[in-house]
Amino acid sequence: MKFSSYETTIDKFKLHSKNQRGDQAGRMQSFAVCAYLRKTICACLLMVILTLSLGVAVVILTPKIRALKEEGSVERPVEISQNVSNDIQAKYKYLNNMQKSKKFVLQGGEVQWARYRADPKDYGSKEERAFGESIHSNGAHMTASTLLIKPNGCRVPHWHFNANEHGYLATGTAWIGILDAAPFSVTSYNVTAGQVIFLPRATLHWMKCVGPENCLFILFFTTSEELVTLDVDDVFYATPKDIAAQSLKPKGGIKFINSFKQPKENQAINLPPNLNQLVHKASYTQSCALKVSRYFYNMRASKQYKYPGGIIQWARYTKDQSKMSRNEKIFAKSLNEHMDTVTMATMRIFRRGMRQPHYHFNAHTMGYVLSGSGRVGVVEKKAVNFHIKKGDVFFFPRGTHHYIRNVGKQDLFMVIAFSTNDELQTLDMNIYFKSTADFILAQLFLKKQEEFRKIPSFKEDQDINLP
């Protein structure tokens, strides 16, 4: 019995031990499961935290990364009220695509501008603003415009407070009237395509298209501030009626003045639909040549300066007037006597021709492309290259090195204005290379002195040359 009890006790102990080991294993397994769950939860929380952190970082950094990538890009969108990018400024300091600018459409025609605006919101694009601010900051004293007048349309009598006006008639036939300063008299004359007009500051003048086709004027105004203009009808309607009646003293007095009704439409370029009922007789007189020559120049018929690669014609003042006609001398004197007038020219560059690199001592340059296409290079602090086509305006500040090359299949034809009423002073690249001592060039360019003898001298001027 004792032996049996002992065995029973042993068996119970073994069973108990086994149960304990089982419970311990179970507990260890439970602990392992809990540890695994804790690790999984922690890993999930860590992933959530990392994901949130990454998302925050992306939200914060993405605009900065994008800005860095886009910095200097010409095509990235920029608000007009903000500073335009350096690349945009580099090109559009010298170029204005005027045909893309805002078109002011009126009854009798339309106007487009390449100009400075004091309020940045008045610009139509960041490119227009870059050009406007360029001519303003350089003190260019020039603003460009196109004026299209329909047949029978009239740019009504007006004057400009702060600029002389110079124009080139590209198409059509126009009749122009000017009210001279005291002793007061009207000078009127007819202008056809290829001819030049000069309208002094504050001089009352008007233009009427008298031919069967549109008149297209390329205009240059001698200011790089905002142009200030006043039309006669605006003055009349702004004047108190009793003051107008007392001044004009018409038959019927103030009753006659009250009969004028101000139209809703802007009358700057006027073409009323009932014009035939209003006008019964029109006389487009031509004043005597001596009076007309003060304001008019037949550049189309002037001397052609021919070069291997093109032709230039001038409307300008020069000190040597020995070969000028009487009318040319009168016009040149008129330009020289007025302040802030411009020298004008037409330049035709033949196919593959180039107006070679040069600069002007005493004038800013502004031009309008009438036909063809070209490549322009400008060197100020750095080189900028761009293409020009019909309707584009270009600007080169005084002293800026530049060239124009014909890259099209037809002649490149331009009208150009230079901001001087004196003789234009220009220096071409081939002239200053040939004029500089070869030992100075050798020292400058690190080439042997005799190498510069390869640059030839020419009997004819190379202002516009060919390859």
Side-chain angles (χ1 to χ4, degrees), residues 159-160 163-166 178 180 198-205 294-295 334 338-339 341:
W159 66 92
H160 308 291
N164 298 303
E165 180 178 355
H166 296 257
I178 301 174
D180 291 325
F198 165 51
L199 307 167
R201 176 189 285 103
T203 301
L204 184 74
H205 57 276
R294 295 166 60 192
Y295 311 111
S334 180
H338 286 86
M339 293 181 60
T341 56

Side-chain angles (χ1 to χ4, degrees), residues 100-126:
K100 295 181 181 179
S101 67
K102 181 178 179 181
K103 190 176 291 186
F104 295 84
V105 179
L106 303 166
Q107 284 182 322
E110 57 191 44
V111 184
Q112 289 180 282
W113 294 93
R115 60 179 169 175
Y116 167 75
R117 307 304 300 271
D119 187 348
K121 295 180 181 177
D122 288 340
Y123 289 109
S125 67
K126 55 186 176 293

Side-chain angles (χ1 to χ4, degrees), residues 141 163-164 166 201 221-222 335 338-342 419-421:
H141 293 286
N164 298 303
H166 296 257
R201 176 189 285 103
F221 301 89
T222 60
L335 287 183
H338 286 86
M339 293 181 60
D340 297 328
T341 56
V342 305
S419 63
T420 180
N421 61 342

Side-chain angles (χ1 to χ4, degrees), residues 168-174 191-196 213 216 298-301:
Y168 175 88
L169 183 58
T171 62
T173 302
V191 184
T192 57
Q195 299 177 335
V196 166
E213 64 175 328
L216 176 62
N298 189 357
M299 187 157 62
R300 183 180 58 183

Side-chain angles (χ1 to χ4, degrees), residues 236-237 239-262:
F236 176 81
Y237 289 118
T239 302
K241 293 181 179 180
D242 60 325
I243 300 297
Q246 186 173 338
S247 177
L248 299 176
K249 291 184 170 56
K251 185 178 180 179
I254 198 168
K255 184 177 181 181
F256 173 78
I257 300 298
N258 284 330
S259 68
F260 287 79
K261 304 299 179 184
Q262 185 172 6

Side-chain angles (χ1 to χ4, degrees), residues 161-380:
F161 288 71
N162 61 335
N164 298 303
E165 180 178 355
H166 296 257
Y168 175 88
L169 183 58
T171 62
T173 302
W175 180 69
I176 296 177
I178 301 174
L179 181 58
D180 291 325
F184 298 108
S185 63
V186 173
T187 298
S188 58
Y189 53 98
N190 294 288
V191 184
T192 57
Q195 299 177 335
V196 166
I197 59 172
F198 165 51
L199 307 167
R201 176 189 285 103
T203 301
L204 184 74
H205 57 276
W206 61 88
M207 309 170 184
K208 181 174 174 66
C209 183
V210 295
E213 64 175 328
N214 292 337
C215 287
L216 176 62
F217 285 94
I218 313 303
L219 302 174
F220 298 96
F221 301 89
T222 60
T223 181
S224 46
E225 302 292 335
E226 289 202 50
L227 182 65
V228 184
T229 301
L230 199 57
D231 292 353
V232 164
D233 62 320
D234 292 330
V235 175
F236 176 81
Y237 289 118
T239 302
K241 293 181 179 180
D242 60 325
I243 300 297
Q246 186 173 338
S247 177
L248 299 176
K249 291 184 170 56
K251 185 178 180 179
I254 198 168
K255 184 177 181 181
F256 173 78
I257 300 298
N258 284 330
S259 68
F260 287 79
K261 304 299 179 184
Q262 185 172 6
K264 293 181 180 180
E265 300 85 2
N266 188 329
Q267 297 297 305
I269 311 178
N270 167 275
L271 184 57
N274 61 339
L275 181 62
N276 291 333
Q277 299 173 13
L278 300 173
V279 177
H280 303 291
K281 183 180 179 181
S283 176
Y284 303 117
T285 59
Q286 178 92 0
S287 299
C288 69
L290 293 181
K291 291 185 67 176
V292 169
S293 295
R294 295 166 60 192
Y295 311 111
F296 164 79
Y297 186 81
N298 189 357
M299 187 157 62
R300 183 180 58 183
S302 67
K303 179 181 177 180
Q304 293 186 353
Y305 291 83
K306 297 182 178 180
Y307 305 93
I311 299 171
I312 301 177
Q313 291 179 276
W314 294 96
R316 61 178 174 177
Y317 168 80
T318 58
K319 294 176 182 177
D320 182 7
Q321 300 183 2
S322 59
K323 296 182 180 180
M324 283 186 173
S325 68
R326 186 183 184 187
N327 291 347
E328 288 175 329
K329 290 178 181 179
I330 294 171
F331 183 80
K333 182 181 178 182
S334 180
L335 287 183
N336 191 241
E337 288 179 344
H338 286 86
M339 293 181 60
D340 297 328
T341 56
V342 305
T343 292
M344 290 188 69
T346 56
M347 182 180 297
R348 183 179 299 277
I349 303 178
F350 302 149
R351 186 179 178 186
R352 299 174 66 219
M354 179 182 69
R355 176 63 182 100
Q356 70 157 291
H358 64 284
Y359 70 93
H360 306 290
F361 292 75
N362 61 336
H364 302 285
T365 305
M366 186 174 285
Y368 180 90
V369 181
L370 291 163
S371 62
S373 60
R375 181 177 177 230
V376 173
V378 185
V379 180
E380 201 167 2

Side-chain angles (χ1 to χ4, degrees), residues 28-78:
M28 291 177 67
Q29 187 174 4
S30 298
F31 291 152
V33 171
C34 291
Y36 175 78
L37 290 174
R38 281 197 298 270
K39 289 180 180 179
T40 302
I41 292 170
C42 289
C44 291
L45 288 173
L46 182 60
M47 290 296 294
V48 170
I49 293 170
L50 288 174
T51 302
L52 289 173
S53 301
L54 182 60
V56 171
V58 169
V59 170
I60 294 173
L61 295 177
T62 295
K64 295 183 179 180
I65 294 170
R66 186 181 296 117
L68 288 172
K69 287 183 177 180
E70 293 177 345
E71 186 176 355
S73 171
V74 175
E75 301 301 330
R76 66 188 176 104
V78 179

